[in-house]
Amino acid sequence: MNITRGFTGRPRTGRTGLPPGQYDARDDWPVLSAEVTPDLAAADWSFRLGGLVAEPCSWTWDEAHALPASAYEGDIHCVTGWSKFGVRFGGVSLDTFLQAAGPLPSATHAVAYAHTGYTANLPLADLTGGRAWIVWEHDGRPLAAEHGGPARLVVPHLYFWKSVKWVAGLELLDHDEPGFWEQNGYHARGNPWEEQRYSGD
Ligand SMILES: Nc1nc2c(c(=O)[nH]1)N[C@H]1C(S)=C(S)[C@@H](COP(=O)(O)O)O[C@H]1N2
Ligand SMILES: [Mo]
């Protein structure tokens, strides 16, 4: 995993390579959606943190863009088998949003949800420490609508189904609550390095 702080920083070098059972998609970036791509304008996008937080917070497009920029450059891994190396996303670290809302000590998990209704559950620990982003740029250009634009969640160290497109917010919980794919047999955490594809893996 390579992380850059700010858009200009030199990427930190971390673990890279193909997790077990994955192949390199090279220049392809498959579109995988259980939903129709919404016609969601940036002006209609918002991001909310609620549930077990000291102060529920909500950001408009402009408010989110006023936060300190943070970029991810590294790999992504889809449970259907493809991985991509050196993908560049720009946006804001989820840590920045979480610091504003203040997770309560009882918060252990989150459900990320989309403007379209899709959900994915994640341990809160996987969303902190510079490992998750809200992004609106790919390769320095606006994120394409089919890939989650105007803005999506990116949690690159977990299988990509956790990276909710057209992200609308996170609800912090004191328990794990299965999201869309997790209710349909997929793993609660989804760590590609441990091949946590399906529940029971
Ligand atoms: N809102 C929303 N987010 C979603 C999905 C979806 O159907 N709806 N599909 C997930 C799945 S299964 C994957 S593999 C990735 C695919 O992202 P991509 O289409 O940009 O490759 O988005 C994830 N995020
Ligand atoms: Mo997927």
Side-chain angles (χ1 to χ4, degrees):
M1 173 172 60
N2 302 327
I3 293 171
T4 54
R5 290 191 189 282
F7 288 106
T8 53
R10 190 185 166 85
R12 233 198 287 154
T13 309
R15 176 164 54 179
T16 188
L18 278 179
Q22 296 292 110
Y23 67 89
D24 183 356
R26 299 184 167 271
D27 292 336
D28 282 349
W29 185 6
V31 172
L32 281 147
S33 300
E35 303 176 304
V36 173
T37 297
D39 189 8
L40 180 60
D44 296 326
W45 179 85
S46 61
F47 179 68
R48 187 174 190 281
L49 286 181
L52 296 173
V53 293
E55 194 180 337
C57 292
S58 170
W59 292 265
T60 64
W61 181 254
D62 289 342
E63 288 165 350
H65 281 66
L67 298 171
S70 176
Y72 170 75
E73 181 172 349
D75 309 339
I76 58 175
H77 311 287
C78 175
V79 74
T80 59
W82 55 268
S83 293
K84 276 182 79 60
F85 297 134
V87 182
R88 293 169 55 220
F89 287 118
V92 169
S93 170
L94 201 59
D95 290 307
T96 304
F97 294 99
L98 286 166
Q99 275 156 24
L104 296 178
S106 54
T108 57
H109 291 80
V111 171
Y113 55 94
H115 284 275
T116 42
Y118 180 88
T119 56
N121 55 304
L122 300 117
L124 188 55
D126 282 313
L127 295 169
T128 55
R131 299 202 293 167
W133 288 261
I134 301 298
V135 308
W136 39 76
E137 281 184 20
H138 167 246
D139 262 346
R141 292 162 180 271
L143 182 66
E146 64 266 30
H147 286 301
R152 78 181 295 165
L153 176 66
V154 169
V155 190
H157 68 286
L158 300 179
Y159 283 125
F160 215 40
W161 88 75
K162 300 289 185 179
S163 294
V164 172
K165 305 199 270 193
W166 318 296
V167 67
L170 296 181
E171 190 77 6
L172 271 58
L173 307 169
D174 61 5
H175 61 278
D176 202 4
E177 204 164 285
F180 177 80
W181 284 118
E182 296 83 2
Q183 288 169 32
N184 286 286
Y186 284 82
H187 197 275
R189 178 153 185 254
N191 177 358
W193 298 95
E194 292 175 14
E195 238 185 321
Q196 295 171 339
R197 297 178 193 271
Y198 309 105
S199 62
D201 283 351

